[in-house]
Amino acid sequence: MRDGPLATIGIGLGLGAGLADAQALNQVQPDQIGMATGLLNTIRASGSTLIMTGFGTGLITLLQSWLGAAQPAAQIAAGDLTGPDRALHAALFTDAWQLALSSVAVLCAVIALAIWILLNPARRRPMADHHSSPDLETRSSSLSRQS
């Protein structure tokens, strides 16, 4: 049952990626699907690489700041928990993962909020709604003629 969380993450990412691909490719002309698929896969691969690099760097930096040395931090991050301080290293590794994953969860929540704000239907009203309507101009000109 050790692979339960990883399998759950893999299934969730796979289902989400399929839906996102379908929605993105529905917005493209049929003769440009191949080009759009290539761009989508390039962006996904580049994004995954950058995110994993940043996450790994943050995890090792956090361990290094707690341990005060780079070598043990790299060994712990690689899963090498051998030695006399095995229990301490395992606890530090667990704490570092929890802090890193909590940070990612907060970042995802902030990004989701920003997307919700940007996609809010009230923000997408046509500009004509903000300007004076012909009815208002007619009323104001009739009022000026009366005075």
Side-chain angles (χ1 to χ4, degrees), residues 44-135:
R44 181 181 300 124
S46 301
S48 296
T49 301
L50 290 173
I51 289 169
M52 292 304 294
T53 301
F55 187 84
T57 301
L59 190 66
I60 291 174
T61 302
L62 191 58
L63 284 169
Q64 184 177 344
S65 70
W66 289 345
L67 291 169
Q71 184 60 27
Q75 287 176 330
I76 292 170
D80 182 8
L81 300 175
T82 58
D85 294 332
R86 179 185 170 116
L88 173 66
H89 290 169
L92 287 173
F93 191 47
T94 300
D95 291 344
W97 264 99
Q98 288 176 346
L99 184 59
L101 289 176
S102 297
S103 300
V104 169
V106 169
L107 179 64
C108 286
V110 168
I111 291 171
L113 179 63
I115 290 171
W116 180 78
I117 289 170
L118 291 172
L119 294 178
N120 188 357
R123 291 179 49 89
R124 294 187 292 174
R125 285 185 295 185
M127 290 303 291
D129 290 350
H130 298 292
H131 298 295
S132 61
S133 66
D135 292 337

Side-chain angles (χ1 to χ4, degrees), residues 1-11:
M1 196 45 131
R2 283 179 39 173
D3 295 332
L6 292 178
T8 304
I9 290 170
I11 291 169

